[in-house]
Amino acid sequence: MKRFILKASLLLLPFALYALGIVVIDPFERFGVGRFMPVHDKSKVAIAINNPLWKVIEFNRAPHPNITLGASKMYLLTPDLLKEASAVDYHNLSLGGGSATEFIHLFWFAASRAKLERVVFGIGIENFNEYIDRDSVKGAEATASNPLLYVINRDVAAAAKHLVLMKYFGAAPPSTVPPMSKDEFWKVQLGEATTRMFAKYRFNEGAYGKLAEIAAYCRERGIELTFVILPSHADVHERLRQLGVEEEWKSLPLRLGQLGKTHDFDVDDELTASRDNFTDPFHFGPDAARRLAGAIWSDRAGRPR
């Protein structure tokens, strides 16, 4: 029996050492005990590798009554910028490349952990394509809630490896910024990316119905609910027309307006006409972000189409 225990211990030793290393490095701050690297550096790696897992663990650690939800556009409206515009602290739960389904699940996750007071959805026509619908939030919740799943998760291992390389070998954090000029990336986004998003498109009625349930939940509990349709450049608008999605694009603010207060900024106007206001066709720059935040909290909605 002693020999069996010894052999089993030797077999388990590598895993035990690996698990200890994950706990010490703790790339997603699941345990909150390791000080291998500053949280700010961990966030750079974790968000690039598994943004939903970082956001779920971060909110678990510090639930907040005021949240913003959305994709990478909403991420540009930072908590500091929103505090400047609204005098309210917001926690940003946005996910780069996220779908409406993921935003919905993040809302219910947040509602299960905090007594919500204000919720802002930054959502656009690109988030409602049923053909590219996905949900990475459920897996993130499961991993965050189970220490064993966290320790054996491949994204956690990859993030830990990156942090070790950064700390001891001077490696740069993983980046989602493409290695090309703004003009080159602009063409790629209007070509391959836009075609992938809209060439095959069906509006996700199921997700819209679930947003209606959220709207009812917020009305019953006095939660301030706001929808914001953030702008893309006019070049994207032209591609929407070419790809036959104009009707869905134009009807979205009307449909969201049936659920709650809605600001529509994805319109053909002087902001969306100028490339100077955008870093790429889908993402506005910091000056435009400040302008949009001010417009939202001064009660000025975007122009009608």
Side-chain angles (χ1 to χ4, degrees):
M1 187 64 179
K2 288 182 179 180
R3 292 183 63 186
F4 172 78
I5 293 174
L6 179 61
K7 288 182 178 180
S9 299
L10 290 174
L11 287 172
L12 290 173
L13 182 60
F15 176 77
L17 292 174
Y18 168 79
L20 179 61
I22 292 295
V23 171
V24 170
I25 299 171
D26 198 10
F28 288 81
E29 284 288 294
R30 164 61 174 78
F31 302 106
V33 295
R35 292 295 174 262
F36 180 75
M37 291 184 76
V39 174
H40 177 70
D41 289 333
K42 290 184 181 182
S43 71
K44 293 179 183 177
V45 175
I47 288 173
I49 291 177
N50 190 326
N51 196 357
L53 183 57
W54 176 264
K55 291 300 179 75
V56 165
I57 290 175
E58 182 183 41
F59 195 83
N60 249 339
R61 190 168 59 247
H64 202 283
N66 308 311
I67 61 172
T68 60
L69 298 152
S72 50
K73 289 182 183 180
M74 197 65 198
Y75 197 77
L76 298 172
L77 297 182
T78 64
D80 287 345
L81 191 58
L82 298 191
K83 178 68 177 292
E84 177 185 315
S86 67
V88 173
D89 288 311
Y90 281 88
H91 184 100
N92 195 316
L93 278 172
S94 302
L95 301 175
S99 69
T101 296
E102 289 175 314
F103 310 156
I104 289 162
H105 283 156
L106 270 177
F107 169 85
W108 291 117
F109 162 75
S112 71
R113 282 152 178 81
K115 185 178 180 181
L116 298 178
E117 297 175 5
R118 300 174 183 85
V119 176
V120 181
F121 275 91
I123 200 161
I125 192 65
E126 64 271 17
N127 308 123
F128 278 101
N129 191 347
E130 188 174 304
Y131 291 113
I132 54 176
D133 188 39
R134 56 188 168 272
D135 182 14
S136 58
V137 176
K138 283 187 176 179
E141 286 189 62
T143 300
S145 64
N146 188 319
L148 179 59
L149 289 179
Y150 179 82
V151 166
I152 64 175
N153 185 274
R154 287 182 296 179
D155 288 339
V156 174
K161 177 183 175 182
H162 274 289
L163 288 170
V164 169
L165 292 174
M166 288 168 62
K167 186 176 180 70
Y168 295 112
F169 299 95
S175 174
T176 56
V177 178
M180 59 182 74
S181 69
K182 178 178 178 177
D183 287 342
E184 290 172 327
F185 189 56
W186 198 280
K187 292 177 182 178
V188 170
Q189 288 290 82
L190 286 179
E192 299 169 15
T194 307
T195 300
R196 186 170 59 251
M197 276 189 266
F198 298 113
K200 185 178 181 182
Y201 190 94
R202 182 163 65 193
F203 187 83
N204 193 333
E205 295 290 350
Y208 178 78
K210 290 175 182 177
L211 277 180
E213 293 173 6
I214 287 175
Y217 177 90
C218 290
R219 283 194 299 272
E220 291 169 3
R221 288 159 177 79
I223 300 169
E224 181 183 299
L225 176 64
T226 305
F227 295 101
V228 180
I229 306 174
L230 293 166
S232 295
H233 187 267
D235 287 349
V236 175
H237 302 165
E238 182 57 32
R239 290 288 285 143
L240 292 175
R241 296 182 180 99
Q242 293 170 0
L243 293 168
V245 193
E246 184 175 12
E247 182 179 347
E248 291 86 350
W249 168 51
K250 287 193 170 183
S251 65
L252 182 62
L254 302 175
R255 301 194 69 180
L256 292 178
Q258 294 171 359
L259 305 182
K261 185 176 183 179
T262 300
H263 298 283
D264 178 22
F265 297 100
D266 196 23
V267 298
D268 288 317
D269 63 7
E270 37 80 29
L271 187 149
T272 59
S274 174
R275 284 198 182 192
D276 292 338
N277 293 323
F278 290 81
T279 57
D280 67 56
F282 291 97
H283 298 95
F284 44 85
D287 290 340
R290 177 166 279 101
R291 172 178 168 181
L292 291 166
I296 294 165
W297 274 275
S298 66
D299 241 5
R300 298 196 309 272
R303 297 180 188 174
R305 292 173 184 161

